[in-house]
Amino acid sequence: MLRSALRRRSGGAAPALLAGAALAGLLMLTPLVYLAIRSFERGPGYVANVLTRPRTGQLFANTVVLTVSATLVCMVVGTVAAWLVVRTDLPGRRIWGVLFALPLAVPSYVAGFGWISGFPGIVGFGGTLLVLSSVSFPYVFLAVSATLSRGDAGMEEAARSLGLGPVRVLLTVTLRRVWPAVLAGALLVALSVISDFGVPSLMRFDTFTLGIFTRYRSTFDPTPAAVLGLALVALAIVVTVAEARVRGRSTERVGRGAGRRAGPTPLGRWTPAGMAFVLVVIGISLGVPAYSLVVWTVAGASAGLDLPHLSATALDTLQVAGLGALLTVALALPVGVLAARHRGRLVRSLENITYLGFALPGVTVGLALVYLGIRVFPQLYQQLPMLIAGYAVLFLPLAVGIVRTAVSDAPVRLEEASRSLGRGRMQTLARVTVPLAAPGIVAAASLVFVSVARELPATLMLRPTGTETLAMAIWSRTGASQFAAAAPYAVLLVLLAAIPTLVLDRVLRRRGGD
């Protein structure tokens, strides 16, 4: 009876797939559950005491104000940039489109390094807001650009034929249609700002992530840090739920019929203003960090490079990023296949659990695994397997989404033909489904590789003794104002991250038929 119930709730999925997905779900839940247990081990009264301290209130206020401010800035900048690139006759639109997306490939702390090394007085809220907004607005830009590119000029033409002016058409038709995309991008911006550790640390602006890390490093009592970590997770979940509720009341389409690509809107006398906007945004997001990297790299090279240490940190980065990508994709594969090929309450639950990683900041995952290692698995504390497991928790949602899409795109009839020839479900998975979905799996591995190479807070907490990644080298040297020494590590990190980014871009273009 248990087997039949399990089969019904999983849509007849193979037990091996269910076991693999269950292992992924268990890995995702373990840090969160252990953090909750650790936070409440002294009772609810102690948790309330930590949460009501003036210092906690200050961290909460700083984090919320920073998140709201950066999200609003990115919503405006990303939407205007997308409209200029996709729907106007602005000169050089294709080049500007590529440059607007590039800041996403630059780690936030590298951009922070670029700004603080050139303008040391930029520390505090203003500098943190500037840097985080400059590297996060592409989330909104890419989402809105994709929606605007799908066309649907008929609705706007109908609105104009009813007597509405260009401004009213923009506000009541165009913006209404792209509003879900704006919110989707805003959610990614908000979660990115909430979980960012490198920029607040470099800019010396106290947020929850910096407060948790400072508490973890400076005291022998880890429970307050665990309470703050749990509060940070709750804040991220509140943001996610709020975005879903607001998006649920939105409407992507306001009419029926096939969409049709809209022609570019002439800017006319507003062209100089559009060009000024583009140049200012690109100058802030790419120009200043790139200029600082070049200047400090030349200064560092003239003072002599520590090539052995530079090579060692590069190898450490390649090792942890490669292993992290392998484990994450291995765990994402059964979840992605289940979600793409089977229906049922159990399948939905396992898939939703893997998306918890979107709401788990790196500093919180690192904190939970540190406690778990000290108390439950001391043989794994500050060992490579625990660091790799932490990466899998953080980046599994990225891989699951891409693998699920790749498997969904694979023709089901080929799998049915394989089964009709006597192949079992797992043989069909290995010989038909996985090869067909291979480009998507490679894309998922590339994305996780880049994300792991850039990750900072969990790496600082979980790294094995003697291991130092490029991200750690940049953070430590920039924190000590050794900008010339940090620059070569930043340049090498950008180059290492560019290779899998090019692979990812090539795979996505091939899938798109370009």
Side-chain angles (χ1 to χ4, degrees):
M1 181 170 293
L2 177 62
R3 178 176 295 181
S4 62
L6 190 64
R7 192 175 180 80
R8 186 174 62 254
R9 295 184 178 183
S10 64
L17 277 180
L18 287 174
L23 179 62
L26 181 64
L27 181 66
M28 296 298 296
L29 286 176
T30 298
L32 189 59
V33 171
Y34 190 77
L35 197 65
I37 293 174
R38 189 63 194 261
S39 299
F40 284 91
E41 66 180 1
R42 296 182 188 175
Y46 183 79
V47 174
N49 176 268
V50 173
L51 293 178
T52 55
R53 290 174 183 171
R55 170 69 174 165
T56 305
Q58 185 63 50
L59 293 176
F60 179 79
N62 287 352
T63 303
V64 170
V65 170
L66 177 66
T67 302
V68 172
S69 303
T71 303
L72 290 175
V73 170
C74 290
M75 289 172 72
V76 173
V77 174
T79 303
V80 173
W83 183 75
L84 285 172
V85 168
V86 179
R87 297 297 298 276
T88 72
D89 61 349
L90 188 75
R93 290 185 297 158
R94 292 187 177 181
I95 297 175
W96 305 134
V98 173
L99 293 178
F100 277 142
L102 271 184
L104 212 53
V106 180
S108 61
Y109 48 83
V110 172
F113 156 80
W115 275 94
I116 200 169
S117 61
F119 306 93
I122 202 173
V123 295
F125 173 79
T128 309
L129 174 63
L130 176 69
V131 174
L132 287 178
S133 300
S134 70
V135 298
S136 302
F137 82 87
Y139 287 120
V140 178
F141 167 76
L142 292 173
V144 176
S145 296
T147 301
L148 288 174
S149 298
R150 287 200 292 267
D152 217 2
M155 292 188 298
E156 298 175 12
E157 292 171 356
R160 290 195 194 97
S161 69
L162 294 173
L164 298 184
V167 177
R168 289 194 65 185
V169 171
L170 176 66
L171 296 177
T172 59
V173 179
T174 308
L175 281 183
R176 184 178 179 184
R177 189 164 67 85
V178 303
W179 185 239
V182 175
L183 290 178
L187 173 64
L188 295 177
V189 172
L191 292 178
S192 173
V193 173
I194 287 174
S195 62
D196 196 274
F197 166 77
V199 175
S201 173
L202 294 177
M203 296 291 175
R204 298 165 202 159
F205 181 67
D206 284 337
T207 60
F208 252 120
T209 53
L210 185 56
I212 293 169
F213 187 77
T214 304
R215 195 87 185 184
Y216 159 75
R217 295 290 293 268
S218 61
T219 69
F220 293 101
D221 182 10
T223 304
V227 175
L228 294 178
L230 204 60
L232 185 61
V233 172
L235 179 61
I237 292 175
V238 167
V239 170
T240 306
V241 172
E243 186 274 340
R245 293 203 169 194
V246 174
R247 177 165 40 86
R249 294 195 294 268
S250 301
T251 305
E252 188 175 359
R253 295 287 304 273
V254 293
R256 296 185 177 182
R260 181 162 54 87
R261 180 181 288 272
T265 301
L267 286 177
R269 59 191 176 92
W270 292 102
T271 299
M275 288 298 297
F277 173 86
V278 167
L279 293 176
V280 168
V281 172
I282 291 177
I284 291 175
S285 58
L286 290 176
V288 173
Y291 176 77
S292 296
L293 274 181
V294 171
V295 169
W296 286 109
T297 300
V298 172
S302 62
L305 294 176
D306 187 356
L307 289 178
H309 189 264
L310 192 64
S311 303
T313 53
L315 289 176
D316 283 344
T317 304
L318 289 173
Q319 181 190 34
V320 298
L323 292 175
L326 282 177
L327 177 62
T328 306
V329 171
L331 291 170
L333 188 58
V335 183
V337 173
L338 276 179
R341 291 288 188 255
H342 301 277
R343 296 290 180 270
R345 188 180 304 173
L346 181 59
V347 172
R348 285 198 304 273
S349 300
L350 288 173
E351 183 188 10
N352 290 336
I353 287 173
T354 62
Y355 288 132
L356 274 176
F358 277 133
L360 291 177
V363 69
T364 305
V365 171
L367 193 66
L369 291 181
V370 164
Y371 297 158
L372 201 63
I374 292 174
R375 288 200 170 186
V376 183
F377 303 109
Q379 67 276 18
L380 294 178
Y381 178 60
Q382 289 198 321
Q383 296 297 321
L384 192 58
M386 183 158 281
L387 176 63
I388 302 305
Y391 292 144
V393 172
L394 285 171
F395 304 119
L396 188 60
L398 298 177
V400 167
I402 297 176
V403 171
R404 174 184 174 168
T405 303
V407 175
S408 298
D409 290 343
V412 179
R413 289 183 178 178
L414 295 180
E415 297 176 10
E416 294 172 346
S418 173
R419 297 290 302 276
S420 68
L421 294 174
R423 302 293 184 187
R425 284 181 291 187
M426 296 309 295
Q427 284 182 311
T428 299
L429 173 67
R431 297 189 177 187
V432 178
T433 308
V434 170
L436 289 172
I441 296 172
V442 172
S446 301
L447 187 59
V448 174
F449 183 95
V450 173
S451 302
V452 171
R454 297 168 45 173
E455 208 286 331
L456 182 58
T459 309
L460 285 171
M461 292 178 165
L462 299 172
R463 69 182 175 104
T465 303
T467 297
E468 186 179 26
T469 64
L470 291 167
M472 294 170 58
I474 297 167
W475 177 77
S476 61
R477 284 157 180 76
T478 305
S481 299
Q482 299 172 353
F483 302 124
Y489 297 91
V491 172
L492 190 54
L493 177 59
V494 172
L495 293 177
L496 282 182
I499 297 173
T501 301
L502 291 175
V503 173
L504 179 65
D505 178 71
R506 188 175 181 81
V507 170
L508 294 178
R509 284 178 181 274
R510 185 173 297 176
R511 289 180 59 194
D514 189 355

